[in-house]
Amino acid sequence: MSGANRYLVSFDAREMLHRFTDILIIGAGIAGIRAALEIPSDLSVLVVTKDRVTESNSSYAQGGIAGVLSPEDTFENHVEDTLIAGDGLCDRAVVEMVVHEAPHQIDKLIEFGTRFDEENGQLALTREGGHSHRRIVHALGDSTGFEVMRATIAYARSRPNIRIWDETFTIDLLTHEGRCCGAIVARSGPDKLLVWAKQVILASGGCGMVYRETTNPPVATGDGMAAAYRAGAELRDMEFMQFHPTVLYVAGSARYLISEAVRGEGAYLRDVHGERFMLREDPRAELAPRDVVARAIFRTMERTQHPNVYLDLSHLDPQMVVNRFPGINRVCKSFGLDITRDRIPVRPGAHYMIGGVTVDRHGRTTVPGLWAAGEVTSSGLHGANRLASNSLIEGLVYGTLCGRGAAEAARRMPPAMTAWPLRYTIAPSEDDTRLDIADLTASLRSLMVRKMGIVRDRSRLLEAKEDLRFWCRYALRREFDGKAGWELQNMLTVARLMVAAALTREESRGTHFRSDYPQRDDARWGQRHVTSEPFVAL
Ligand code: SIN
């Protein structure tokens, strides 16, 4: 991307406060915390997160964590389901590694203090779309992420070598002679600090906030992807944003996720006329993979000219429904909906970014000294469409690999650390017109829904590209002094990469559907693709 600054802010290392740590971890979701827990106690670890430590996509995960835990299931089944959902783009070796590691990671979570739901003294297992067997563990009914993060954060806090800084925004990754050596951060305000580290692990999550309709919390603004891009890291698969089929759609509600486990337990999808439309869309009906269900809902909304479809649980045992989904029940009740009787209005929303920073099978990025795990990455596990409940497990497996690998690499480095005399200056803008950050952010999020949504085509993508190019030209050259401006710059950067990737892939596959190229085309597009626009600093 030409015309952008290498760093979002001006700084001069000789005039700043410094902090040194063996390992810096950016992000306190499941991948970041799991990485921290893998680092031996003689190495210092600093975990930074831009909001409260509980504010991550991981904490909001409802459905659960997939792993082969029942005698009726096999690793081969889980591998096969993941490959089918991934629509030809998964890296089989990565899938096999993660699937085989999953039961051990679930045991570790129990060891860290997680209390999963049980049935007759055994872990209770549910199903979700695309899974051939019951293999998803869950907690507090439908608040799995909350319980997992409660336990792992408490465990991490008990370790003397791990420090957690919340309210700490990572503005950029520091690089010196092509190697990542730390980050420039802002703690509780615009004052900046340089954190120098022997190794850096990026676990900063996704970018759902680039869409107006998303299940993600406000923190998901793609900061890690954009910072890695500016630092020269390779990104991949950016056209694959996964839309969750069922997001609560009532005026006045934040876009609240209605877990796929609801369909896993037998709920039906109906159109405004009451028809169970999934029956004629796919033999797997409501339990088809997410991309299939999201597109079917989109078509149904167009056909019926109605802004949503409905989830219907009225044929299920009411006691099971309220016990199994206490969180969803509570939220729906607050809008006057009784989920045991009333139909729940839902429509798809941006949910999970499959693409991101390229990592190898150890979690190494293409920038020496920089590792990455979780939603910020493209590991090859998800292919073109992530199988439900395969994301927390990816964060756990790659968090572990990154923690282990970064610790070994840090040990091989000299004990003393260097603070390089780095400096960077952004020329003051010639035009001092104040930019309305909220307005531009809203325009971006709305553009992405209209032109880079579930169904795309060349002409709308070209319009999106042009709008983004225009906005980037004046927004990326400026220097902001706070989070809202930096987040906007990061979202613009990520959105531009997404649109460029979507334009390039002239086929339909997984979450990427081009109405002008509606077929999958293995001959031309049977491989994953690296972002076509390398970063070029001003
Ligand atoms: C859900 O509960 O439907 C979300 C699970 C996931 O995204 O894997």
Side-chain angles (χ1 to χ4, degrees):
M1 192 180 296
S2 61
N5 290 306
R6 159 64 185 92
Y7 291 97
L8 293 185
V9 292
S10 306
F11 67 96
D12 184 343
R14 290 165 306 181
E15 293 176 0
M16 298 172 73
L17 287 173
H18 301 260
R19 165 91 191 201
F20 296 85
T21 182
D22 289 317
I23 316 270
L24 170 65
I25 299 178
I26 299 166
I30 194 67
I33 296 292
R34 185 66 189 87
L37 291 175
E38 200 59 25
I39 295 167
S41 55
D42 60 322
L43 293 174
S44 57
V45 181
L46 176 62
V47 181
V48 297
T49 178
K50 74 174 177 179
D51 205 289
R52 284 171 299 145
V53 71
T54 46
E55 278 307 291
S56 63
N57 252 341
S58 306
S59 293
Y60 288 91
Q62 292 186 8
I65 305 179
V68 174
L69 296 161
S70 101
E72 286 98 62
D73 198 4
T74 63
F75 288 134
E76 290 70 33
N77 290 333
H78 190 179
V79 166
E80 209 43 41
D81 293 346
T82 304
L83 295 174
I84 291 171
D87 210 3
L89 280 200
C90 296
D91 179 334
R92 180 183 264 276
V94 169
V95 175
E96 286 176 351
M97 186 232 336
V98 172
V99 162
H100 281 82
E101 200 30 40
H104 167 67
Q105 290 292 343
I106 291 169
D107 283 347
K108 289 296 281 186
L109 286 178
I110 295 169
E111 189 185 312
F112 298 149
T114 307
R115 292 187 290 261
F116 288 112
D117 296 334
E118 294 188 358
E119 235 166 41
N120 308 323
Q122 306 282 334
L123 288 176
L125 300 176
T126 192
R127 256 185 95 178
E128 289 176 356
H131 287 274
S132 57
H133 289 73
R134 287 188 166 258
R135 64 167 72 99
I136 294 150
V137 291
H138 46 88
L140 304 172
D142 53 9
S143 301
T144 311
F146 178 85
E147 168 61 11
V148 167
M149 293 316 297
R150 177 203 64 73
T152 47
I153 290 168
Y155 200 79
R157 285 199 196 280
S158 73
R159 297 272 296 265
N161 67 320
I162 301 176
R163 282 251 172 301
I164 302 179
W165 283 1
D166 58 10
E167 308 286 349
T168 303
F169 192 96
T170 299
I171 302 169
D172 263 305
L173 296 164
L174 295 169
T175 46
H176 179 63
E177 294 175 351
R179 200 180 164 281
C180 184
C181 49
I184 176 164
V185 306
R187 290 198 78 187
S188 316
D191 282 345
K192 293 156 203 108
L193 175 81
L194 298 185
V195 179
W196 302 93
K198 292 180 182 166
Q199 301 290 318
V200 178
I201 300 173
L202 191 60
S204 50
C207 59
M209 285 301 285
V210 300
Y211 286 85
R212 192 185 55 222
E213 279 161 15
T214 177
T215 61
N216 290 190
V219 291
T221 50
D223 307 317
M225 291 167 190
Y229 179 62
R230 288 190 293 273
E234 179 184 294
L235 278 79
R236 200 168 55 180
D237 300 340
M238 296 297 283
E239 61 275 43
F240 297 116
M241 167 58 79
Q242 180 172 66
F243 293 86
H244 195 289
T246 56
V247 182
L248 182 63
Y249 187 67
V250 290
S253 89
R255 296 292 178 244
Y256 182 79
L257 176 72
I258 307 289
S259 176
E260 193 150 329
V262 169
R263 279 174 284 131
E265 297 294 349
Y268 297 149
L269 278 166
R270 296 192 187 277
D271 69 15
V272 64
H273 308 298
E275 192 205 339
R276 217 182 129 198
F277 57 92
M278 280 311 297
L279 288 175
R280 54 184 164 83
E281 292 280 352
D282 192 284
R284 295 160 291 185
E286 281 85 357
L287 288 181
R290 238 171 230 184
D291 57 331
V292 175
V293 180
R295 268 195 307 280
I297 293 176
F298 180 84
R299 279 194 300 273
T300 302
M301 291 181 341
E302 285 205 324
R303 177 175 52 78
T304 57
Q305 287 295 297
H306 193 72
N308 58 276
V309 296
Y310 296 88
L311 268 171
D312 178 7
L313 291 77
S314 59
H315 55 288
L316 302 176
D317 171 14
Q319 206 49 53
M320 182 281 284
V321 167
V322 292
N323 290 344
R324 182 68 185 78
F325 303 111
I328 293 171
N329 186 32
R330 194 176 51 248
V331 169
C332 288
K333 216 177 208 159
S334 72
F335 291 101
L337 292 168
D338 175 348
I339 63 170
T340 65
R341 282 201 333 237
D342 299 325
R343 292 183 181 172
I344 311 171
V346 291
R347 58 184 274 148
H351 181 57
Y352 185 91
M353 185 46 165
I354 290 169
V357 181
T358 304
V359 289
D360 68 11
R361 286 175 206 164
H362 305 277
R364 284 186 292 239
T365 72
T366 56
V367 175
L370 181 65
W371 307 70
E375 190 174 350
V376 72
T377 68
S378 160
S379 69
L381 173 66
H382 308 308
N385 176 46
R386 177 176 67 86
L387 184 66
S389 287
N390 263 1
S391 53
L392 291 179
I393 201 64
E394 182 193 40
L396 288 163
V397 172
Y398 274 85
T400 305
L401 290 170
C402 286
R404 210 175 282 159
E408 281 165 16
R411 279 198 202 294
R412 289 194 296 271
M413 295 178 73
M417 293 173 64
T418 312
W420 301 102
L422 302 181
R423 63 208 282 202
Y424 188 75
T425 308
I426 297 176
S429 169
E430 287 150 25
D431 174 6
D432 61 0
T433 317
R434 200 179 66 81
L435 195 68
D436 186 337
I437 296 172
D439 184 57
L440 183 46
T441 303
S443 300
L444 165 66
R445 298 182 68 207
S446 148
L447 172 92
M448 292 297 277
V449 171
R450 284 182 285 112
K451 300 192 174 158
M452 175 68 194
I454 295 180
V455 175
R456 301 135 191 206
D457 62 45
R458 182 174 159 79
S459 79
R460 276 182 294 176
L461 288 170
L462 282 174
E463 284 165 20
K465 183 177 172 182
E466 188 47 38
D467 286 348
L468 284 165
R469 196 184 61 77
F470 178 57
W471 294 338
C472 286
R473 216 167 56 203
Y474 57 84
L476 294 192
R477 284 166 193 247
R478 297 194 178 217
E479 180 165 5
F480 293 99
D481 62 0
K483 193 165 120 173
W486 301 327
E487 286 180 338
L488 168 63
Q489 291 178 312
N490 289 335
M491 286 194 284
L492 283 169
T493 302
V494 168
R496 206 165 161 186
L497 294 174
M498 291 170 71
V499 168
L503 259 172
T504 307
R505 185 174 285 279
E506 293 178 334
E507 66 155 355
S508 290
R509 180 191 294 272
T511 62
H512 173 67
F513 188 83
R514 290 270 307 248
S515 54
D516 46 351
Y517 294 95
Q519 304 304 326
R520 173 171 147 176
D521 179 355
D522 283 336
R524 283 184 70 208
W525 297 108
Q527 66 286 321
R528 298 156 57 227
H529 97 239
V530 167
T531 176
S532 53
E533 283 193 87
F535 180 79
V536 182
L538 274 172

